[in-house]
mmCIF file of all heavy atoms in Angstrom:
data_model
loop_
_atom_site.group_PDB
_atom_site.id
_atom_site.type_symbol
_atom_site.label_atom_id
_atom_site.label_comp_id
_atom_site.label_asym_id
_atom_site.label_seq_id
_atom_site.Cartn_x
_atom_site.Cartn_y
_atom_site.Cartn_z
ATOM 1 N N GLY Q 183 101.238 173.369 58.460
ATOM 2 C CA GLY Q 183 102.668 173.007 58.599
ATOM 3 C C GLY Q 183 102.924 171.478 58.311
ATOM 4 O O GLY Q 183 103.728 171.235 57.384
ATOM 5 N N PRO Q 184 102.281 170.495 59.042
ATOM 6 C CA PRO Q 184 102.678 169.247 58.815
ATOM 7 C C PRO Q 184 102.541 168.616 57.431
ATOM 8 O O PRO Q 184 103.445 168.036 56.867
ATOM 9 C CB PRO Q 184 101.891 168.374 59.889
ATOM 10 C CG PRO Q 184 101.527 169.306 60.826
ATOM 11 C CD PRO Q 184 101.425 170.672 60.131
ATOM 12 N N GLY Q 185 101.332 168.997 56.752
ATOM 13 C CA GLY Q 185 101.099 168.512 55.431
ATOM 14 C C GLY Q 185 102.025 169.059 54.317
ATOM 15 O O GLY Q 185 102.566 168.361 53.549
ATOM 16 N N GLN Q 186 102.325 170.362 54.629
ATOM 17 C CA GLN Q 186 103.081 171.044 53.545
ATOM 18 C C GLN Q 186 104.600 170.643 53.803
ATOM 19 O O GLN Q 186 105.248 170.365 52.713
ATOM 20 C CB GLN Q 186 103.013 172.508 53.780
ATOM 21 C CG GLN Q 186 103.817 173.376 52.636
ATOM 22 C CD GLN Q 186 103.430 174.883 52.811
ATOM 23 O OE1 GLN Q 186 103.945 175.443 53.784
ATOM 24 N NE2 GLN Q 186 102.779 175.427 51.927
ATOM 25 N N ILE Q 187 105.036 170.481 54.876
ATOM 26 C CA ILE Q 187 106.513 170.049 55.279
ATOM 27 C C ILE Q 187 106.595 168.582 54.785
ATOM 28 O O ILE Q 187 107.682 168.352 54.111
ATOM 29 C CB ILE Q 187 106.807 170.242 56.730
ATOM 30 C CG1 ILE Q 187 106.830 171.693 57.019
ATOM 31 C CG2 ILE Q 187 108.009 169.499 57.082
ATOM 32 C CD1 ILE Q 187 106.915 172.009 58.491
ATOM 33 N N ALA Q 188 105.689 167.783 54.987
ATOM 34 C CA ALA Q 188 105.779 166.324 54.635
ATOM 35 C C ALA Q 188 105.958 166.300 53.085
ATOM 36 O O ALA Q 188 106.842 165.567 52.629
ATOM 37 C CB ALA Q 188 104.660 165.471 55.082
ATOM 38 N N ALA Q 189 105.080 166.972 52.369
ATOM 39 C CA ALA Q 189 105.075 166.954 50.911
ATOM 40 C C ALA Q 189 106.516 167.481 50.283
ATOM 41 O O ALA Q 189 106.996 166.935 49.515
ATOM 42 C CB ALA Q 189 103.950 167.780 50.348
ATOM 43 N N LYS Q 190 107.012 168.637 50.936
ATOM 44 C CA LYS Q 190 108.103 169.107 50.546
ATOM 45 C C LYS Q 190 109.301 168.161 50.903
ATOM 46 O O LYS Q 190 110.167 167.993 49.944
ATOM 47 C CB LYS Q 190 108.510 170.433 51.293
ATOM 48 C CG LYS Q 190 109.661 171.254 50.800
ATOM 49 C CD LYS Q 190 109.747 172.600 51.460
ATOM 50 C CE LYS Q 190 110.768 173.396 50.810
ATOM 51 N NZ LYS Q 190 110.901 174.746 51.309
ATOM 52 N N VAL Q 191 109.398 167.478 51.911
ATOM 53 C CA VAL Q 191 110.454 166.469 52.218
ATOM 54 C C VAL Q 191 110.430 165.381 51.200
ATOM 55 O O VAL Q 191 111.526 164.970 50.616
ATOM 56 C CB VAL Q 191 110.366 166.007 53.699
ATOM 57 C CG1 VAL Q 191 111.182 164.770 53.951
ATOM 58 C CG2 VAL Q 191 110.690 167.175 54.699
ATOM 59 N N PHE Q 192 109.236 164.804 50.933
ATOM 60 C CA PHE Q 192 109.166 163.788 49.932
ATOM 61 C C PHE Q 192 109.537 164.180 48.612
ATOM 62 O O PHE Q 192 110.185 163.349 47.831
ATOM 63 C CB PHE Q 192 107.726 163.170 49.931
ATOM 64 C CG PHE Q 192 107.354 162.395 51.248
ATOM 65 C CD1 PHE Q 192 106.026 162.536 51.791
ATOM 66 C CD2 PHE Q 192 108.355 161.658 51.972
ATOM 67 C CE1 PHE Q 192 105.828 161.772 52.917
ATOM 68 C CE2 PHE Q 192 107.866 160.882 53.070
ATOM 69 C CZ PHE Q 192 106.628 161.006 53.574
ATOM 70 N N LEU Q 193 109.045 165.326 48.191
ATOM 71 C CA LEU Q 193 109.355 165.772 46.909
ATOM 72 C C LEU Q 193 110.794 166.119 46.678
ATOM 73 O O LEU Q 193 111.409 165.748 45.629
ATOM 74 C CB LEU Q 193 108.566 167.111 46.511
ATOM 75 C CG LEU Q 193 107.053 166.972 46.248
ATOM 76 C CD1 LEU Q 193 106.351 168.281 46.269
ATOM 77 C CD2 LEU Q 193 106.858 166.172 44.944
ATOM 78 N N SER Q 194 111.439 166.581 47.661
ATOM 79 C CA SER Q 194 112.987 166.907 47.725
ATOM 80 C C SER Q 194 113.636 165.561 47.681
ATOM 81 O O SER Q 194 114.860 165.613 47.127
ATOM 82 C CB SER Q 194 113.317 167.694 48.851
ATOM 83 O OG SER Q 194 112.710 168.947 48.985
ATOM 84 N N ALA Q 195 113.177 164.442 48.209
ATOM 85 C CA ALA Q 195 113.792 163.128 48.184
ATOM 86 C C ALA Q 195 113.603 162.418 46.878
ATOM 87 O O ALA Q 195 114.111 161.285 46.669
ATOM 88 C CB ALA Q 195 113.295 162.289 49.264
ATOM 89 N N GLY Q 196 112.870 163.106 45.965
ATOM 90 C CA GLY Q 196 112.675 162.298 44.606
ATOM 91 C C GLY Q 196 111.461 161.520 44.632
ATOM 92 O O GLY Q 196 111.321 160.790 43.641
ATOM 93 N N ILE Q 197 110.665 161.372 45.591
ATOM 94 C CA ILE Q 197 109.505 160.514 45.590
ATOM 95 C C ILE Q 197 108.532 161.053 44.535
ATOM 96 O O ILE Q 197 108.299 162.318 44.505
ATOM 97 C CB ILE Q 197 108.848 160.432 47.086
ATOM 98 C CG1 ILE Q 197 109.862 159.991 48.059
ATOM 99 C CG2 ILE Q 197 107.601 159.549 47.129
ATOM 100 C CD1 ILE Q 197 110.295 158.577 48.079
ATOM 101 N N ARG Q 198 107.837 160.111 43.924
ATOM 102 C CA ARG Q 198 106.823 160.526 42.894
ATOM 103 C C ARG Q 198 105.419 159.863 42.991
ATOM 104 O O ARG Q 198 104.561 160.124 42.315
ATOM 105 C CB ARG Q 198 107.365 160.256 41.580
ATOM 106 C CG ARG Q 198 108.722 160.962 41.169
ATOM 107 C CD ARG Q 198 108.410 162.527 41.141
ATOM 108 N NE ARG Q 198 109.640 163.276 40.997
ATOM 109 C CZ ARG Q 198 110.284 164.032 41.909
ATOM 110 N NH1 ARG Q 198 109.712 164.162 43.159
ATOM 111 N NH2 ARG Q 198 111.349 164.570 41.666
ATOM 112 N N PHE Q 200 102.427 159.192 46.105
ATOM 113 C CA PHE Q 200 102.081 159.701 47.587
ATOM 114 C C PHE Q 200 100.753 159.224 48.152
ATOM 115 O O PHE Q 200 99.938 158.796 47.305
ATOM 116 C CB PHE Q 200 101.937 161.212 47.482
ATOM 117 C CG PHE Q 200 103.222 161.914 46.947
ATOM 118 C CD1 PHE Q 200 103.379 162.250 45.543
ATOM 119 C CD2 PHE Q 200 104.282 162.133 47.768
ATOM 120 C CE1 PHE Q 200 104.513 162.674 45.038
ATOM 121 C CE2 PHE Q 200 105.430 162.709 47.319
ATOM 122 C CZ PHE Q 200 105.572 163.034 45.950
ATOM 123 N N PHE Q 219 98.523 168.757 52.490
ATOM 124 C CA PHE Q 219 99.422 167.802 51.789
ATOM 125 C C PHE Q 219 99.021 167.639 50.405
ATOM 126 O O PHE Q 219 99.878 167.720 49.360
ATOM 127 C CB PHE Q 219 99.298 166.444 52.603
ATOM 128 C CG PHE Q 219 100.297 165.374 52.143
ATOM 129 C CD1 PHE Q 219 101.674 165.535 52.152
ATOM 130 C CD2 PHE Q 219 99.886 164.148 51.627
ATOM 131 C CE1 PHE Q 219 102.541 164.501 51.846
ATOM 132 C CE2 PHE Q 219 100.699 163.223 51.263
ATOM 133 C CZ PHE Q 219 102.053 163.221 51.303
ATOM 134 N N THR Q 222 99.565 170.758 48.263
ATOM 135 C CA THR Q 222 100.932 171.006 47.992
ATOM 136 C C THR Q 222 101.450 170.067 46.804
ATOM 137 O O THR Q 222 102.102 170.457 45.818
ATOM 138 C CB THR Q 222 101.821 170.794 49.107
ATOM 139 O OG1 THR Q 222 101.428 171.620 50.174
ATOM 140 C CG2 THR Q 222 103.364 171.006 48.883
ATOM 141 N N LEU Q 223 100.956 168.802 46.916
ATOM 142 C CA LEU Q 223 101.281 167.746 45.844
ATOM 143 C C LEU Q 223 100.689 168.183 44.524
ATOM 144 O O LEU Q 223 101.374 168.196 43.537
ATOM 145 C CB LEU Q 223 100.925 166.379 46.264
ATOM 146 C CG LEU Q 223 101.697 165.856 47.455
ATOM 147 C CD1 LEU Q 223 101.056 164.542 47.940
ATOM 148 C CD2 LEU Q 223 103.198 165.608 47.248
ATOM 149 N N ASN Q 226 102.321 170.812 42.491
ATOM 150 C CA ASN Q 226 103.582 170.267 42.032
ATOM 151 C C ASN Q 226 103.393 169.189 40.981
ATOM 152 O O ASN Q 226 104.177 168.484 40.415
ATOM 153 C CB ASN Q 226 104.580 169.841 43.002
ATOM 154 C CG ASN Q 226 105.169 170.904 43.676
ATOM 155 O OD1 ASN Q 226 106.182 171.553 43.275
ATOM 156 N ND2 ASN Q 226 104.660 171.279 44.881
#
Side-chain angles (χ1 to χ4, degrees):
Q186 190 175 63
I187 290 168
K190 188 173 186 177
V191 166
F192 290 140
L193 288 165
S194 296
I197 304 290
R198 299 296 175 248
F200 303 93
F219 185 64
T222 303
L223 293 171
N226 286 279

